[in-house]
Amino acid sequence: MEDAYARSVSEVLESFGVDPTKGLSDFQVAEHARLYGRNVLPQDGSTPFWKLVLKQFDDLLVKILIAAAVVSFFLALINGETGLTAFLEPSVILMILAANAAVGVITETNAEKALEELRAYQADIATVLRNGCFSILPATDLVPGDIVEVSVGCKIPADMRMIEMLSDQLRVDQAILTGESCSVGKELESTLATKAVYQDKTNILFSGTVVVAGRARAVVVGIGSNTAMGSIRDSMLRTEDEVTPLKKKLDEFGTFLAKVIAGICVLVWVVNIGHFRDPAHGGFLRGAIHYFKIAVALAVAAIPEGLPAVVTTCLALGTKRMARLNAIVRSLPSVETLGCTTVICSDKTGTLTTNMMSVSKICVLHSVHHVPITTEYSVSGTTYAPEGFIFGSDGMQLEFPAQLPCLLHIAMCSALCNESVLQYNPDKGNYEKIGESTEVALRVLAEKVGLPGFDSMPSALNMLSKHERASYCNRYWENQFKKVSLLEFSRDRKMMSVLCSRKQMEIMFSKGAPESIISRCTSILCNDDGSTVPLTANIRAELESRFHSFAGKETLRCLALALKRMPMGQQTVSLDDEKDLTFVGLVGMLDPPREEVRNAILSCMTAGIRVIVVTGDNKSTAESLCQKIGAFDHLVDFVGHSYTASEFEELPALQKTVALQRMAMFTRVEPSHKRMLVEALQHQNEVVAMTGDGVNDAPALKKADIGIAMGSGTAVAKSASDMVLADDNFATIVAAIAEGRAIYNNTKQFIRYMISSNIGEVVCIFVAAVLGIPDTLVPVQLLWVNLVTDGLPATAIGFNKQDCDVMKAKPRKVNEAVVTGWLFFRYLVVGAYVGLATVAGFIWWFVYADNGPKLPYVELMSFDTCSTRQTTYPCSVFNDRHPSTVSMTVLVVVEMFNALNNLSENQSLLVIPPWSNLWLLGSIVLTMLLHILILYVRPLSVLFSVTPLSWADWTVVLYLSFPVVIIDEILKFFSRNSSSNVISELFFSAQIYVF
């Protein structure tokens, strides 16, 4: 029943045909079970493992690599190759693809855990009335129409409509669903609100929430998927994971590269059709196969096989750095997404605030003989830990607060007129509450006031263990006073009272809403001498003024405390006794903002990131908090910047668009609103980070570009998120964004490095094919260069230091190219040199090397007709491994110099020297050692078709390689120079997007 909140109790009971005194009969239970099903969240069929694996290979670039591996294998078999040489190249390719697929499968498997965690919030048992008898049944057996009784500590087993109150009040903690910082009072009356959100449905008990006070009966109106918790599950199922900006660019790059590769391969094959019949090939078919192998080699050269592995490694290194900042990354791509975040939708409770109510202000009567007659005290400490101090109106800390009469009696009343528990949890290392957060705040206040009569009290308390310290002062007062009788809180009185006895003296302590307590007081306690004086109209007006200041301007939750001497021997307390009270003091409490939030939000603004506070709390409370944070001081007022969910929904489409661009506050929201906000911002091309900790936040966390859960939050929120804040601190998000931007900059640098290197390999093979000279490099050599000699330096580039002004730049746009027109031109120039230098090394050995044949260049171009002509040299010289070894070594060394070029995009090596990144220098040394290993160790040299080089060969290699540094330094100079824009326009009037 979706509108049960709007119907009367009798209408709801009648619709289910249930008698509230007897409950459902067995026949009705069976019938309702058949109609509505079981009270469980359905098990959603997870994606089969084999489908997850296949999905990882659904990429054009990957398919080309697989095709290249298969073709390479078959060509090797056609040529009669067997053993390791036939399988090496395809095996290496497939191993890389398998490793990348494994990472993808693990990431996607984690995403499905959120739905499993959601079931943990379903109650296990329920007290149900059936056939006129109460019994305890599994919650899964509940059906709509069942009458259920709930009391303090009960987890609500289904969505239920209140039908009978069995105590003065019923309060429920529904923060996991709505994000409200305080428990909510429930009532029997139907709700008249139109478009009611969860917070407005005050007669509905929601599945998974917890009763914190009172006892009541309710009728089940929704089970399983038809509950508020079920709607969250459905919303999460409808949410598809967003592709990260970098992933989009890599996908676009794959498509672009596939087209280029296909074009070049076909071109090389077509250009050489005339050579298919050359005698060296032994026939037209073998000639066609030979040049097809060259085309495959081109494909292997053009595809950066190591790119996915290097990207994954760099992001993994970033996650380790973030973990040290208390930001635990659950999804690797989200590391990069952080760098282009433009909007942070921040949950209020627990993220901007501590989610722990604490007393921050105290107001007492100082003396009727002095002006001002009242005194205010401020209290430090914003958590449930009994750590903090009390400060006077002059800002000075009170050394012994318990020596002041009013503060002493406030501590007594806070400890005795209290039904909550404060305890220390050694497993979690923090203090926890049981009961109402406002009552726990009073217990913490009693601990901060301390005990009277001991000069060493503050230091003595600090010597206690944390377990003993949690309630030491509260237990002292409970041992001093024996509780005799209790009057529970009720909505009409708005107060509670407790009768206590001590040494033949009976005292009634009361606490409640200030308007209720003050109206029942006739006298007031003075703080200067402990005397009691009549509560005059002037004093009453002053107290009410302070109360309105606390509640209005400062939006504090206020409670007044009072006491009354009772006749000796009285054993009960009645409503008639709650009059002629003595006013003790007024306390104001709040869920305090975190101290570091202000600077964090200001950092976001400097970085061009907008912050929107999203909360289930009411508008005035949220606006007051933002004023306390001070980060929204640039707003004259919140008009046009602050909206409730219902206000926003009523706006016309055009005004909604404008509102989204100016919004700073979004209040009275429920889960669907949070998800709607994320989608609306994404439609405006914003990159959205959403924070949250409750079950209600899970759909929005999953939908956002990056979902950020609190470490103390629910398991559902953590499982649906991309990142978890171990310290629940908003400031950690800002630090993570800075790290994300730095990681992206480094990722961009090594992608460019690999692009220019691969361009060099393509140029090398293409130029050799066009010139008609022998193959400069064989595919297995290209694989070695791409995976090892490219991969290690590219990974080390990820260790480039973070720029000092990384958080002063505006967020990059999602569609911003990694390589634009001028940069693409730069890397074409560098890549072209790499390729030409490699070919030059090959030609040098044949034409000029002392240990080479010193052939005329024309002979080298006619190598394929050698067997049909008389020559002064043996044709076997063209099978010598020296020239390809020189080419491969030139390629490796020139790419090491090119790696140094990528320490910075535009800064010279004279400004950012090579030793600024020792990891890069180490990777270059390791790469050269590995290359020397395959040159000089016999089994490896045979495997890679290489041979040892002489010192003369190495000298030429260095001469051919070093100029790449000079070329890039010249290009960097033009980039730094303002005329580079002109150059860019001359060469590329429109930007060329490689990604």
Side-chain angles (χ1 to χ4, degrees), residues 269-278 284 291 864:
W269 199 68
V270 170
V271 164
N272 287 283
I273 286 178
H275 296 284
F276 286 3
R277 298 184 182 278
D278 289 349
F284 183 86
Y291 286 104
D864 48 0

Side-chain angles (χ1 to χ4, degrees), residues 268-327:
V268 168
W269 199 68
V270 170
V271 164
N272 287 283
I273 286 178
H275 296 284
F276 286 3
R277 298 184 182 278
D278 289 349
H281 304 312
F284 183 86
L285 182 60
R286 286 190 172 275
I289 292 173
H290 172 78
Y291 286 104
F292 189 67
K293 284 184 70 176
I294 293 177
V296 172
L298 254 179
V300 173
I303 298 174
E305 292 90 345
L307 181 58
V310 173
V311 170
T312 301
T313 304
C314 187
L315 295 180
L317 292 171
T319 63
K320 287 188 176 181
R321 288 201 291 269
M322 286 187 175
R324 290 196 290 269
L325 299 172
N326 289 316

Side-chain angles (χ1 to χ4, degrees), residues 669-924:
V669 300
E670 58 182 35
S672 59
H673 294 133
K674 292 186 177 184
R675 190 174 185 276
M676 174 269 292
L677 176 64
V678 172
E679 288 177 341
L681 289 168
Q682 288 173 336
H683 286 153
Q684 292 190 353
N685 295 321
E686 303 280 9
V687 178
V688 184
M690 167 64 80
T691 75
D693 57 357
V695 173
N696 60 315
D697 298 316
L701 289 174
K702 199 163 187 288
K703 178 63 181 173
D705 295 286
I706 175 161
I708 305 171
M710 302 299 108
S712 63
T714 61
V716 179
K718 292 177 189 175
S719 296
S721 66
D722 301 298
M723 189 172 84
V724 178
L725 300 185
D727 58 358
D728 290 10
N729 197 334
F730 183 86
T732 303
I733 301 174
V734 180
I737 288 175
E739 188 64 39
R741 289 186 173 191
I743 289 169
Y744 176 76
N745 289 339
N746 291 341
T747 304
K748 189 167 60 172
Q749 284 301 102
F750 72 64
I751 287 174
R752 290 171 181 165
Y753 164 67
M754 297 192 87
I755 289 172
S756 58
S757 298
N758 281 73
I759 288 174
E761 294 167 17
V762 171
V763 168
C764 165
I765 294 173
F766 185 76
V767 169
V770 170
L771 293 178
I773 63 177
D775 300 342
T776 52
L777 298 168
V778 295
V780 71
Q781 292 172 338
L782 286 170
L783 268 178
W784 171 261
V785 172
N786 282 352
L787 293 177
V788 181
T789 58
D790 278 2
L792 290 174
T795 304
I797 289 172
F799 288 94
N800 285 350
K801 292 182 179 178
Q802 184 183 120
D803 293 339
C804 58
D805 59 349
V806 71
M807 285 300 283
K808 293 180 182 176
K810 301 301 179 187
R812 75 178 194 278
K813 290 185 169 41
V814 179
N815 57 357
E816 177 183 306
V818 176
V819 180
T820 53
W822 166 244
L823 281 175
F824 186 46
F825 172 75
R826 277 177 54 181
Y827 290 103
L828 274 177
V829 172
V830 171
Y833 179 79
V834 170
L836 292 174
T838 305
V839 173
F842 187 85
I843 295 173
W844 168 82
W845 188 85
F846 276 107
V847 179
Y848 299 108
D850 292 334
N851 59 339
K854 294 190 176 181
L855 300 177
Y857 179 68
V858 177
E859 288 292 321
L860 182 61
M861 292 180 64
S862 305
F863 80 98
D864 48 0
T865 60
C866 177
S867 60
T868 62
R869 296 182 290 110
Q870 284 192 344
T871 59
T872 57
Y873 55 88
C875 292
S876 60
V877 73
F878 296 114
N879 296 322
D880 196 303
R881 288 183 293 172
H882 267 95
S884 64
T885 304
V886 171
S887 287
M888 182 182 177
T889 305
V890 168
L891 183 60
V892 169
V893 176
V894 77
E895 289 186 2
M896 294 306 100
F897 283 120
N898 191 28
L900 293 176
N901 289 334
N902 284 276
L903 281 167
S904 173
E905 183 178 311
N906 294 316
Q907 291 299 323
S908 168
L909 284 173
L910 299 175
V911 177
I912 301 180
W915 51 88
S916 64
N917 186 343
L918 295 178
W919 287 99
L920 181 58
L921 289 182
S923 70
I924 291 173

